Amino acid sequence: MSRLRRAFTLVELLVVIAIIGVLVALLLPAVQSAREAARRTQCTNNLKQLALATQNYGDIYNGVYPVGGYACCWGTWLVGLLPYVEQKALYDQYKFYGAVQNAAGNAISQTDTNTRYVGALNTPVTTSSIKAYLCPSDPKTNTTAMRAGITSHNYVANHGNTTMRRLATFGKSSTGQPNMFNGAPFVLVDSYATVPQSVRFAEVVDGTSNTLAFAETVKGQNNDLRGFSWWSYAAHFETYLPPNSNQPDILQTSTYCVPGGINPPCAAATTANPENNAARSRHPSGVVASFCDGSVKFISNNIAIDTWRALSTNNGGESIGEY
């Protein structure tokens, strides 16, 4: 007597596989969204830590913000804040932080390349990746020959609403009026004659809750130097362009600019268009930014440009509405 054997037919099996495929397709965006939300939360926490580190720095150094960068190569705010992000040992290793050209023009940092961020004295520090300076939404690393193993990071300091070197007037507002520089917490110090040498907490007269401190950047690939922020010319952002703008960042030279692919647009600086970089991220629709009061907000790519610029100034007296 034969026994009837029950089994799935090929059609039934294909139907089950199709249903599983549809369910996966439906769930995958939700899973990816949850993962990105977790990454953005970590990024938010990092920027909160940087804002608090800046407050602690000011408590030690008589109420001033750390310098954004010393000339090209003698340290940026990344070095200055190391003790306040649990990296005191690395800070102690860094040599000649803040050494810029003196009145005689012969500071050791100008004649001995070993004292630069890329020099033998400092590469034990600048080849380190600092977790507090990294956003997990931008997992790319940089291993190109140009960088000699020096790391890139994801946060940049606010240099105001015009250019890295605080050009007094640059471009126009959305109403056609001149876009005037009205202060910023961070400054590039090229020499003993740079004015100002630093910015005091007391100079943030627009209110610390209305003044940006840090925002995000992305790590450039294939010799693109965005995110290469041990170097002063990559440690900054300006609000001349909106977040994640489709307009180019303006880098020091074309050598350091590699647009296309995963890299945002960029171009080389000119007299008419000096260095200025937008805030950028790998998050969909905006960037995370911290403020001088320690708060952190997610800023939409669609923020009104005049509002975005007003948030970067510390003594502009602008009226800032909802954003």
Side-chain angles (χ1 to χ4, degrees):
M1 177 177 171
S2 63
R3 181 177 294 175
L4 182 63
R5 304 177 102 186
R6 299 186 59 82
F8 290 113
T9 66
L10 179 60
V11 172
E12 289 172 329
L13 186 60
L14 291 174
V15 168
V16 170
I17 292 172
I19 291 172
I20 292 172
V22 169
L23 291 174
V24 169
L26 291 172
L27 291 173
L28 188 59
V31 172
Q32 291 175 331
S33 178
R35 287 177 175 173
E36 168 54 24
R39 291 191 292 263
R40 198 171 97 181
T41 297
Q42 181 60 55
C43 191
T44 298
N45 291 340
N46 288 348
L47 281 161
K48 178 76 170 180
Q49 187 175 355
L50 291 188
L52 295 177
T54 301
Q55 295 289 329
N56 292 333
Y57 178 98
D59 289 343
I60 299 297
Y61 293 102
N62 299 316
V64 299
Y65 291 95
V67 168
Y70 288 100
C72 70
C73 311
W74 290 278
T76 69
W77 63 266
L78 272 75
V79 179
L81 291 186
L82 284 174
Y84 311 101
V85 293
E86 301 181 345
Q87 297 293 338
K88 179 68 161 54
L90 285 179
Y91 177 81
D92 290 341
Q93 282 184 266
Y94 200 96
K95 308 302 180 187
F96 296 97
Y97 172 53
V100 296
Q101 188 178 42
N102 63 15
N106 58 2
I108 188 172
S109 61
Q110 304 294 316
T111 59
D112 183 356
T113 57
N114 284 329
T115 64
R116 299 185 179 206
Y117 71 88
V118 74
L121 293 174
N122 288 322
T123 49
V125 177
T126 57
T127 55
S128 302
S129 287
I130 313 301
K131 187 176 180 181
Y133 298 160
L134 292 168
C135 178
S137 293
D138 186 13
K140 295 292 184 180
T141 57
N142 290 303
T143 57
T144 58
M146 178 184 286
R147 292 181 173 84
I150 295 172
T151 53
S152 291
H153 293 90
N154 287 112
Y155 305 119
V156 280
N158 169 25
H159 279 234
N161 61 333
T162 59
T163 67
M164 179 182 70
R165 285 187 167 86
R166 300 169 157 238
L167 196 65
T169 305
F170 185 67
K172 294 183 178 180
S173 70
S174 63
T175 61
Q177 300 301 309
N179 179 38
M180 303 291 293
F181 179 80
N182 285 306
F186 295 88
V187 62
L188 177 72
V189 175
D190 278 314
S191 76
Y192 76 100
T194 299
V195 177
Q197 290 280 308
S198 61
V199 178
R200 302 186 65 81
F201 287 2
E203 294 176 85
V204 183
V205 296
D206 285 350
T208 55
S209 63
N210 290 326
T211 305
L212 291 163
F214 300 97
E216 295 183 85
T217 190
V218 296
K219 289 176 283 189
Q221 302 298 302
N222 302 318
N223 289 329
D224 186 288
L225 291 195
R226 280 167 287 190
F228 191 57
S229 44
W230 298 109
W231 177 60
S232 295
Y233 302 156
H236 63 98
F237 81 99
E238 291 73 39
T239 58
Y240 176 69
L241 296 175
N244 292 312
S245 175
N246 59 10
Q247 297 299 306
D249 294 324
I250 305 302
L251 279 62
Q252 186 188 39
T253 72
S254 59
T255 305
Y256 306 141
C257 166
V258 185
I262 196 173
N263 292 337
C266 59
T270 64
T271 301
N273 196 5
E275 291 167 77
N276 65 93
N277 291 340
R280 299 187 183 276
S281 79
R282 304 291 184 197
H283 309 300
S285 74
V287 300
V288 183
S290 63
F291 287 73
C292 291
D293 67 343
S295 63
V296 181
K297 295 183 175 72
F298 185 75
I299 308 294
S300 168
N301 293 338
N302 297 320
I303 186 172
I305 188 61
D306 292 344
T307 300
W308 179 234
R309 290 174 180 170
L311 288 172
S312 72
T313 64
N314 63 278
N315 61 4
E318 304 96 338
S319 176
I320 299 174
E322 295 295 324
Y323 59 92

